[in-house]
Amino acid sequence: MHTNDLADASPDFAMLYAQFSSALSFSEIPRSVIAAAKLNIFDTLACSIAGFKAPGVQEVLDIVRDWGGKPEAEVLWTGLQVPAPHAAWINGIMAHACDYDDTHDKAILHGGISVVPAALAAVGVASHKVTGKEFYAAVVTGLELICRLGVATRIGLIQAGFIYSGLFAHFAAAAAAARVLRLPPKETLNAIGIAYSQAAGTHQVTRDGALTKRMQPGFGARSGLTAVAMARKGLTGAQRIFEGQDGLGRTYLQSELDSDVLREGLGRRWHLEDLAYKPYPCCRMNHCAIDAALQLRAQPGFDWTRVSEIRVYTNAQGNQAVGQHLEANTVVQAQFSIRYNIACALVHGAVGLSDFTSEALSRPEVRSLAARVTPLVAEDIERSAGRNVTPARVEAVIGDKVFTAQVDEAKGGLQKPMSGDDLRRKLEDCLSFGGFDSRRASAFDAAIERLEDSDDIAVDIRQMIGGILNR
């Protein structure tokens, strides 16, 4: 059932979710869901370390410093305290800047980069000590909402013109912050409704290779904090937020938001458990192609220096998302260039954070090979996975021989999860790239382990930051 079928029905899913999230207690959350939230917190904060010195982050940090204001919430990895909406904003930007963060392969979005920064910022304005268990409940609340919205959306991001990580971030951040602050259902609903008045997240930033691509989830986190502050003062927002006549479903998603999927199994089926974690710091639509390229590289007789042509087949959505940046002249373009990522994989046998710097983009051997890659749409892949993160088939021509590899599910997902060693290497890579000592990875791991049992999450987060800064 699509949203327009419920235009005059009651209640809106937003009301149901406000009631659900306000009442959700840690003890009611299955251990597997807590484990999923823990992994998300780990990965989101690790990615924020890598993003600390990424283009755009220090510039925003300069803006926030210039603005000043009440010291409410921590800017990660700085020791700086700023007003909560500002902290949520810059921490969200930091977590997404390297495009290394989580992804929901069915919903086509990132979750933690708006939810975790919003929950952390809300801790700074709470009038009570927020325990680790309350913090976990808030993160679960936000992650489940953003994932449900994504799974229930039946229109692709290319057709809609929105990046769902940025668009749905506003609602998820508001829900997470409201749960931290123990808002009752009415105020939680108003917060989500106020967030709706701020919601945006265009796909055009990807097409243009703009730095604001990495900032949109942070905007969502910031608006969530603004929304809960307003709701706490008694201000009202839209009530029929998702399914109303002018709700999200019709006005943003062309009436392709499935109300049945939104509601199905709420409190029993946890979509946040399906979040995947990235082994490569680039758009998830590239990942199957990278894995396929690495398989090609390992085939007997393959020599990338002799390749005359490479064809990469994806679904239409993948082709639009990562097949259009023929020249990777900026880091954002490179993150969204299937040609560039295949070339990196074939030339170096890996794709990592060091491949996404202005210096790396000029490497002649990578640029030369990338120019030989032709992105194409495969009808069979479109039929089987038209709405999902795209599978990829890569064909490389050497003389009269064609080397072929196809990958249908990228590493890091449910079928091919990252191992503990993979996650540790990723954390160490993030620390080094962010300018920190990779030997502090053990202290970071230990701090994450302690969060669930924390009596005061604000104190433990400050200690975690101090551990990374070695102070």
Side-chain angles (χ1 to χ4, degrees):
M1 181 182 294
H2 297 311
T3 54
N4 56 345
D5 299 321
L6 288 180
D8 298 319
S10 185
D12 189 271
F13 179 71
M15 181 179 294
L16 296 178
Y17 203 83
Q19 294 169 341
F20 165 76
S21 62
S22 297
L24 183 66
S25 67
F26 181 88
S27 61
E28 297 171 328
I29 303 172
R31 284 306 308 178
S32 62
V33 178
I34 296 298
K38 178 181 177 180
L39 178 56
N40 192 271
I41 294 166
F42 169 94
D43 190 78
T44 301
L45 293 179
C47 290
S48 74
I49 296 172
F52 178 69
K53 290 187 177 178
V57 173
Q58 293 301 312
E59 291 84 348
V60 172
L61 185 55
D62 286 343
I63 293 170
V64 169
R65 283 196 177 106
D66 286 343
W67 282 346
K70 187 178 180 182
E72 293 176 329
E74 298 270 351
V75 176
L76 293 170
W77 326 125
T78 65
L80 177 67
Q81 287 206 337
V82 299
H86 299 346
W89 180 36
I90 194 167
N91 290 339
I93 294 170
M94 211 182 296
H96 191 41
C98 293
D99 219 324
Y100 213 176
D101 44 294
D102 73 49
T103 180
H104 196 294
D105 288 348
K106 185 176 180 181
I108 319 293
L109 54 74
H110 308 272
I113 51 177
S114 56
V115 169
V116 174
L120 286 174
V123 169
V125 293
S127 57
H128 58 277
K129 287 185 179 180
V130 179
T131 67
K133 290 179 172 55
E134 285 185 293
F135 179 72
Y136 265 82
V139 170
V140 166
T141 289
L143 289 178
E144 184 61 18
L145 180 55
I146 196 169
C147 291
R148 275 185 176 267
L149 287 169
V151 171
T153 297
R154 298 307 191 196
I155 184 171
L157 59 88
I158 301 299
Q159 292 75 27
F162 292 103
I163 297 179
Y164 298 139
S165 307
L167 177 59
F168 299 157
H170 298 260
F171 311 107
R179 180 62 187 81
V180 167
L181 298 175
R182 302 176 182 171
L183 267 59
K186 182 178 179 181
E187 289 183 5
T188 298
L189 179 63
N190 278 323
I192 297 172
I194 294 167
Y196 183 32
S197 291
Q198 305 171 77
T202 177
H203 183 256
Q204 190 63 39
V205 292
T206 301
R207 295 187 186 277
D208 295 337
L211 280 175
T212 40
K213 159 63 182 72
R214 58 187 51 176
M215 298 181 183
Q216 291 185 149
F219 289 142
R222 185 178 68 182
S223 82
L225 267 294
T226 301
V228 295
M230 295 171 68
R232 293 174 86 187
K233 291 291 188 180
L235 298 173
T236 58
Q239 303 292 289
R240 299 196 54 76
I241 299 155
F242 300 130
E243 298 162 319
Q245 289 179 317
D246 295 314
L248 179 80
R250 189 187 72 79
T251 58
Y252 285 74
L253 304 175
Q254 302 175 31
S255 298
E256 291 294 336
L257 182 65
D258 194 316
S259 295
D260 291 336
V261 174
L262 275 176
R263 288 165 165 71
E264 185 178 4
L266 183 60
R268 301 187 306 277
R269 168 68 169 96
W270 299 89
H271 291 285
L272 71 95
E273 291 188 282
D274 297 337
L275 283 162
Y277 296 90
K278 289 185 176 183
Y280 314 119
C282 58
C283 178
R284 186 64 165 171
M285 294 290 186
N286 290 310
H287 283 217
C288 284
I290 293 171
D291 287 340
L294 293 174
Q295 289 182 15
L296 282 185
R297 197 176 192 272
Q299 291 180 13
F302 184 84
D303 180 355
W304 68 266
T305 65
R306 298 173 54 226
V307 170
S308 60
E309 179 187 2
I310 300 170
R311 298 181 290 269
V312 54
Y313 295 91
T314 65
N315 62 20
Q317 180 176 235
N319 184 270
Q320 281 287 317
V322 297
Q324 304 304 305
H325 286 304
L326 302 183
E327 296 294 336
N329 293 321
T330 70
V331 170
V332 175
Q333 287 177 341
Q335 289 170 329
F336 283 81
S337 171
I338 202 167
R339 302 173 85 202
Y340 178 79
N341 282 278
I342 287 174
C344 287
L346 291 178
V347 173
H348 299 293
V351 177
L353 285 166
S354 61
D355 291 305
F356 298 94
T357 65
S358 56
E359 294 78 16
L361 300 187
S362 63
R363 294 171 298 183
E365 70 279 13
V366 173
R367 294 188 72 87
S368 175
L369 189 58
R372 290 171 245 167
V373 178
T374 301
L376 300 163
V377 175
E379 291 184 4
D380 60 323
I381 294 176
E382 178 67 18
R383 285 194 301 270
S384 64
R387 170 66 177 85
N388 297 345
V389 165
T390 185
R393 182 166 59 252
V394 179
E395 299 174 352
V397 180
I398 299 178
D400 59 0
K401 183 173 182 180
V402 178
F403 291 79
T404 302
Q406 179 163 333
V407 173
D408 293 326
E409 181 166 343
K411 184 177 180 180
L414 296 178
Q415 301 304 314
K416 300 178 182 178
M418 292 178 69
S419 67
D421 288 342
D422 291 333
L423 291 167
R424 180 56 176 259
R425 283 192 294 270
K426 178 175 177 177
L427 171 60
E428 291 175 352
D429 193 24
C430 289
L431 282 162
S432 295
F433 192 78
F436 300 100
D437 188 342
S438 63
R439 291 174 296 180
R440 294 174 194 168
S442 294
F444 180 90
D445 282 337
I448 295 292
E449 288 293 331
R450 292 193 296 267
L451 288 183
E452 179 183 329
D453 296 319
S454 173
D455 293 326
D456 188 342
I457 204 81
V459 171
D460 286 324
I461 290 296
R462 281 195 293 273
Q463 290 178 347
M464 173 188 286
I465 294 171
I468 296 300
L469 296 177
N470 196 27
R471 63 177 192 208

